[in-house]
Amino acid sequence: MITPSASQGGGSNLGSLRAAILGAALAAAAGSLGCQQELRRTTRSIDAALIAGDYAKAETLATEAATQFQKDEQDRLIYFMAAARTAQIAGSWERSDLWYRRAFDEIRPYLDEKAEAKVTEAVSTTVVNQTIRIYRGTPPERIMVCTLDSINDLERGDFDAARLKLNRARDFQQDAKSRFQSEVAKQQAGADAAWRKQGWSESAAEGAIAQVRKQQGNLPAQNGMAVLPNPFTSYLRAVFLLSTSADLGDRQNARADLRAVEEMIPGFAPAALDIALIDENPAAGTMPITWVFFLSGLAPYYDEFRLDIPIPVGPVNYVSAAFPVFKVREDALGAIEAASAGGAAQSVTLADIDAMVRAEFDARLPTIVTQEVISSATKAAATYAASSAAAQSDSTVGLLVQIAGIAYQAASTAADLRCWGEMPKRIDLLRLQTPDNGHIELRRPGGAPLCSVSVQPKSPSIVFVTMPSAGAPPVVQRVLLAEAVPPEPQMIAAPRTISPSAESGSQPPAKVELDPEPEPKPEVKPDLKLDP
C-alpha cells in the first residue's frame, strides 16, 4: 500500500477530508442540540402551566408540540405522552385517547419483541451523544401510559376498553420485572468491554459515577414502597375486576393483584380489607365502597451536570462529559382526608413515583456514565488526531480543524434529560364506605376544604383526584361501577381552569392534524384463571 506524503499532496487531502468529516459531525451535533433545546423549553413551559393550574394552556402547548413533531421518531414519544396527560387533566378525553394511542404505538414493539437498542444507535451516540437515540420510554413510563389511559375508558363507562388497557399495563409490569435487570446488565457489560478496550483506569469511571450520585443527593425515602412494578396499576385493576365482574376467574385475579400489592407494600391495610371483601364473595356492583386515588404533584425531571474526567487525550489530561442528574419536585399536597355521613378517613401512600423513577434511573446510571465518558474521550481523540494530521501539512488547516473539533465537542456534549415529567409525583389511596347520601367532602391536611365529590349511594365507585401542585385546582374524575354504562363524566372540582384565560393568554388547542397511522390490533392476553 502506498502511503501519501505531504509532497504528494496526500497530507493536505487527508487533513481536508478530516476537516470535512468534523464539519459534518459538527452540523449533526448542532442539529441534535437544537432539537433538544426545543424539547426542553417546551416541556418546561408545559410543566409550569400545570403547576400554575392553567390546564388549558398546558394542553395547548403539548398538543401543538405533539402535532408539530409527530414525524420526529427520536423524540415524539415524549411529546405524545405530555399531550395525552395534559389533555386528560384538562378534560379533553377524545384528544387524550388519541395521544395515549399514539404513545402506546411507540412503546408496544418493545414488549417482548423488539431490542431496546440498535447497533447503529450505539455508534451514533458515541460520535455525538445519547440524545440522538430514539426515546422508547422507561418501564415506569410504559406502565403508566397504559394505566392512565384506562382512566378515560373507566370514566366513560367503556369497561371492555379499560380492561384491555389494564391488561396491557399488567403485561408491561411483568416485562419490567422479568427483563429490566437483564437488559441493564447486558448494556453495562458492553460499556465495560468498550472501556477496557481503551485501557483506561476503572477508578476514573467509578469516580465519575460517585460524583454524579453525590450531585443528586440521597435517594428518595421509599418507606417500604415498591419500585418495580407499580402498586397503583395492580390496585386499580383489582378494584375494577372486583366491582364489575362476578366471574370467578376475575375475582381470583383481583385477589392475586391485591396480594401482589401486599408483597410490594407489606402491611398495606386497604389491600387486606379488599381481600377480605373478595372472600365474602359479594355480587358485582353491590359492595358499598368508594376508592379515591389522589394523584399529586409532578414526576421528577433531570438537570445537566458537567464533569472533567481524568483521561489523557493527546496533550490534555482530562475530557469533559455531561450527565443527567435526578431532581425531585417538592410542590405537592401529600395526603388528603375525607368526611362523609359514613365517617372520616385519611389517605395512605400507594405508589411513590419519585422512588420508582429514581430506582430505574439509578440502575442505569453506571451505564449512562460509562457510555458518556467513552463518547467524550472518543470525540476528543478524533479531534486531536485530525488536527495533528492536518497540521503536518498546513498549520493553518490544522488550526482550523482544531477549532472545528473544539466546537464539535462543545456542541455534542449534552446529557439526555428526556423523561415524562407530567406523571404524578405520588399516588395516595383513600378507601371508605360509600355514604348513604352519596356526598363526600375531601379536605387538605389539617382539615381545610379541597373539593366535593358526588357518588352513587350505597354502591361501589372509583374517584381520581389530580393536583399537579399544592396550589393548583383539583380535577375530579369519577367512575360509577354499579352501572353497566355510567352517565357522561362530570368534572365537579372547582375552581377549574380549562377555558381560555385573559390573564394567561391561553387559547384552545388547535385542530390536531395527524398522519394516518392505523392502530394495530394487538392480541389480548387472557387473564390467568387461578384456582380458588
Side-chain angles (χ1 to χ4, degrees):
M1 182 178 69
I2 301 175
T3 304
S5 64
S7 60
Q8 295 173 317
S12 177
N13 292 337
L14 182 61
S16 299
L17 176 61
R18 292 187 176 181
I21 293 173
L22 269 179
L26 178 60
S32 171
L33 183 62
C35 291
Q36 289 305 302
Q37 288 176 339
E38 175 66 25
L39 175 63
R40 294 173 189 182
R41 281 194 299 266
T42 301
T43 53
R44 280 197 300 266
S45 297
I46 292 169
D47 294 348
L50 286 176
I51 291 170
D54 193 344
Y55 303 141
K57 180 178 180 180
E59 184 198 0
T60 298
L61 291 169
T63 298
E64 290 176 350
T67 304
Q68 179 181 352
F69 295 105
Q70 61 182 302
K71 293 184 179 181
D72 179 6
E73 185 181 15
Q74 178 179 309
D75 296 325
R76 64 188 176 193
L77 175 58
I78 291 289
Y79 291 114
F80 291 167
M81 293 189 298
R85 182 59 180 151
T86 54
Q88 186 172 47
I89 294 173
S92 301
W93 299 284
E94 290 184 0
R95 291 183 188 274
S96 180
D97 284 345
L98 182 151
W99 293 120
Y100 275 127
R101 174 172 63 81
R102 295 297 298 272
F104 178 73
D105 289 345
E106 295 295 311
I107 64 175
R108 183 179 181 272
Y110 303 102
L111 183 63
D112 297 325
E113 297 176 15
K114 199 169 181 179
E116 293 284 343
K118 301 177 182 178
V119 174
T120 53
E121 280 188 326
V123 174
S124 60
T125 54
T126 299
V127 174
V128 184
N129 56 53
Q130 295 295 315
T131 65
I132 68 171
R133 68 181 177 86
I134 296 173
Y135 191 78
R136 299 172 174 85
T138 63
E141 291 171 353
R142 295 172 184 177
I143 293 167
M144 285 294 281
V145 162
C146 301
T147 306
L148 293 175
D149 190 11
S150 73
I151 295 176
N152 291 333
D153 300 309
L154 288 170
E155 193 175 18
R156 281 197 303 263
D158 190 347
F159 292 168
D160 288 340
R163 176 189 288 261
L164 170 65
K165 291 167 184 178
L166 287 169
N167 286 349
R168 288 174 175 173
R170 173 205 59 188
D171 292 342
F172 273 115
Q173 297 254 58
Q174 295 172 345
D175 182 71
K177 191 174 181 179
S178 63
R179 285 206 306 162
F180 176 66
Q181 293 297 338
S182 61
E183 288 284 348
V184 170
K186 180 180 178 180
Q187 293 176 18
Q188 183 62 48
D192 288 344
W195 186 278
R196 288 192 295 269
K197 185 177 180 180
Q198 298 293 334
W200 297 329
S201 169
E202 292 185 4
S203 62
E206 293 170 355
I209 294 168
Q211 285 292 323
V212 174
R213 286 191 168 136
K214 181 180 179 181
Q215 185 72 15
Q216 293 179 151
N218 296 325
L219 283 166
Q222 294 180 20
N223 300 321
M225 298 289 106
V227 291
L228 285 175
N230 188 333
F232 168 55
T233 297
S234 299
Y235 211 108
L236 178 57
R237 182 170 177 268
V239 297
F240 165 72
L241 294 175
L242 167 62
S243 303
T244 60
S245 176
D247 179 76
L248 178 61
D250 281 341
R251 292 294 178 89
Q252 291 302 314
N253 278 309
R255 197 179 198 282
D257 283 336
L258 292 169
R259 287 288 298 127
V261 171
E262 287 190 315
E263 292 177 1
M264 298 179 214
I265 316 172
F268 194 65
L273 293 173
D274 285 324
I275 289 174
L277 185 61
I278 292 174
D279 293 341
E280 294 172 7
N281 197 30
T286 63
M287 62 289 293
I289 304 296
T290 295
W291 295 272
V292 179
F293 294 95
F294 181 48
L295 289 70
S296 62
L298 293 179
Y301 64 100
Y302 298 104
D303 266 349
E304 186 170 276
F305 173 56
R306 296 204 171 205
L307 184 66
D308 291 337
I309 313 297
I311 293 178
V313 176
V316 181
N317 292 324
Y318 63 88
V319 296
S320 295
F323 309 102
V325 291
F326 179 92
K327 296 293 182 178
V328 173
R329 306 179 213 249
E330 301 294 347
D331 188 2
L333 186 59
I336 58 173
E337 302 169 356
S340 69
Q346 186 169 1
S347 69
V348 291
T349 302
L350 173 63
D352 185 342
I353 306 299
D354 281 357
M356 293 178 197
V357 174
R358 175 61 187 266
E360 187 275 339
F361 174 69
D362 201 59
R364 293 188 296 110
L365 183 59
T367 304
I368 292 171
V369 171
T370 304
Q371 290 175 338
E372 284 298 327
V373 174
I374 291 173
S375 174
S376 296
T378 300
K379 289 179 289 188
T383 298
Y384 174 70
S387 60
S388 297
Q392 289 178 5
S393 58
D394 189 322
S395 59
T396 301
V397 173
L399 178 61
L400 292 175
V401 171
Q402 185 177 19
I403 293 172
I406 293 172
Y408 157 62
Q409 291 178 65
S412 62
T413 301
D416 188 354
L417 309 183
R418 292 173 294 178
C419 62
W420 188 15
E422 294 74 37
M423 290 191 296
K425 173 184 177 69
R426 59 181 265 184
I427 302 170
D428 276 36
L429 173 64
L430 195 155
R431 182 188 188 276
L432 69 160
Q433 291 287 320
T434 303
D436 291 346
N437 62 5
H439 184 74
I440 301 173
E441 290 287 337
L442 297 180
R443 299 174 178 173
R444 296 172 179 268
L450 182 63
C451 60
S452 299
V453 179
S454 295
V455 297
Q456 187 168 332
K458 302 180 181 180
S459 300
S461 295
I462 296 177
V463 177
F464 301 95
V465 181
T466 296
M467 287 184 67
S469 69
V475 175
V476 179
Q477 300 167 275
R478 60 177 185 163
V479 185
L480 306 181
L481 296 167
E483 301 179 11
V485 181
E488 286 298 310
Q490 301 177 23
M491 304 305 294
I492 57 180
R496 184 156 185 264
T497 52
I498 61 170
S499 57
S501 165
E503 291 78 16
S504 66
S506 302
Q507 297 295 325
K511 182 178 179 181
V512 180
E513 299 290 347
L514 293 177
D515 295 331
E517 290 190 17
E519 183 176 9
K521 303 296 183 182
E523 179 181 351
V524 181
K525 298 184 180 181
D527 284 333
L528 179 65
K529 301 294 184 180
L530 302 177
D531 294 333

